[in-house]
């Protein structure tokens, strides 16, 4: 879909709280999803991925939830730390239709100490 | 560090000049991707290679853009007759043979400024 303008959605949390970042994806045929973290001036950093045959996957301090019915993805970060401050992007892929990732609008996470 | 590397990290050029960027993927990753990212936006797909074969190109990749991966290892992205609208971060990513899915690991990017 069309990209939104320069003003990213922002989530501000207190250090130690849990964060939930949401993403609506565009294509019901997408079957693979990735969350990336991007700090200023750096490339996106792989956080966690999930296939469409799963509805939940856990990593270290992070959990991804997938709701295919409403085409919604969320990233939960437990015990948020100042180092988690960054822009977070979800990306979708249709595994059998080539390699490209389609990125959603990012969310800027700001962690207050 | 065995991550994806990109050179140069920054490039300032005058409109009309040609520029070339290099990407070295993670060793043994057979897929390599190029994306472009402008301020406040997510990365947009440009093209990708499986080994030395270029398998897909976005409509964003005008005829002024060309990418190569001659030996299936590093890749170059060339932009001819640069325009101010080409100013962006150019990101390279690589992925291994499929595991869970098409996971991609990004390099630090090359920031291009066209004056």
């Amino acid at each position: 879909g069309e990209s939104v303008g320069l003003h990213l959605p922002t989530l501000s949390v207190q250090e130690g709280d849990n964060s939930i970042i949401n993403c609506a994806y565009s294509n019901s045929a997408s079957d693979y999803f990735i969350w990336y973290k991007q700090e200023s001036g750096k490339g996106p950093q792989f956080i966690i991925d999930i296939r469409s045959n799963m509805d939940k996957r856990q990593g270290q301090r992070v959990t991804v939830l997938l709701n295919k019915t409403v085409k919604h993805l969320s990233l939960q970060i437990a015990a948020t730390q100042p180092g988690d401050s960054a822009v977070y992007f979800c990306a979708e892929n249709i595994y059998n239709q080539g390699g490209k990732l389609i990125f959603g609008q990012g969310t800027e996470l700001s962690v207050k100490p | 560090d065995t991550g994806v590397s990109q050179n140069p990290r920054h490039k300032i050029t005058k409109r009309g000049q040609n520029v070339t960027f290099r990407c070295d993927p993670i060793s043994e990753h057979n897929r390599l991707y190029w994306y472009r990212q402008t301020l406040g936006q997510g990365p947009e797909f440009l093209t990708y290679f499986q080994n030395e074969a270029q398998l897909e190109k976005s409509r964003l990749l005008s005829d002024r853009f060309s990418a190569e991966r001659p030996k299936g290892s590093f890749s170059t992205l060339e932009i001819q007759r640069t325009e101010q609208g080409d100013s962006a971060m150019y990101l390279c990513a690589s992925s291994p043979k499929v595991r869970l899915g098409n996971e991609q690991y990004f390099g630090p990017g090359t920031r291009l400024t066209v004056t």
Side-chain angles (χ1 to χ4, degrees), chain B residues 47-66:
Chain B
T47 188
Y48 94 97
F49 294 83
Q50 180 161 303
N51 300 312
E52 64 275 11
Q54 189 173 19
L55 295 187
E56 187 174 353
K57 292 195 291 186
S58 163
R59 283 173 290 180
L60 292 174
L61 212 67
S62 76
D63 56 7
R64 296 186 297 106
F65 288 69
S66 63

Side-chain angles (χ1 to χ4, degrees), chain A residues 36-56:
Chain A
Y36 285 96
K37 171 187 180 184
Q38 188 171 27
E39 296 172 283
S40 181
K42 297 183 178 180
Q45 176 188 349
F46 180 99
I47 301 174
I48 191 168
D49 57 358
I50 189 168
R51 287 296 306 269
S52 58
N53 60 353
M54 307 165 74
D55 53 20
K56 179 178 180 179

Side-chain angles (χ1 to χ4, degrees), chain A:
Chain A
E2 289 292 321
S3 297
V4 184
L6 294 179
H7 298 287
L8 294 171
T10 300
L11 175 65
S12 184
V13 300
Q14 204 70 38
E15 181 179 359
D17 287 352
N18 296 335
S19 303
I20 300 176
I21 301 171
N22 296 303
C23 176
Y25 63 92
S26 58
N27 192 333
S28 57
S30 293
D31 55 10
Y32 177 65
F33 307 88
I34 306 176
W35 278 102
Y36 285 96
K37 171 187 180 184
Q38 188 171 27
E39 296 172 283
S40 181
K42 297 183 178 180
Q45 176 188 349
F46 180 99
I47 301 174
I48 191 168
D49 57 358
I50 189 168
R51 287 296 306 269
S52 58
N53 60 353
M54 307 165 74
D55 53 20
K56 179 178 180 179
R57 192 156 188 247
Q58 289 183 293
Q60 186 177 12
R61 281 202 307 120
V62 294
T63 300
V64 55
L65 299 178
L66 175 62
N67 185 331
K68 296 181 288 294
T69 303
V70 294
K71 294 191 290 185
H72 183 268
L73 201 63
S74 69
L75 177 70
Q76 301 178 359
I77 304 174
T80 314
Q81 302 168 1
D84 295 327
S85 294
V87 177
Y88 290 80
F89 291 98
C90 66
E92 60 186 292
N93 172 248
I94 302 173
Y95 174 64
N96 290 328
Q97 293 187 13
K100 69 182 177 186
L101 293 176
I102 299 171
F103 283 78
Q105 181 183 40
T107 296
E108 184 171 8
L109 176 65
S110 176
V111 182
K112 295 178 289 187

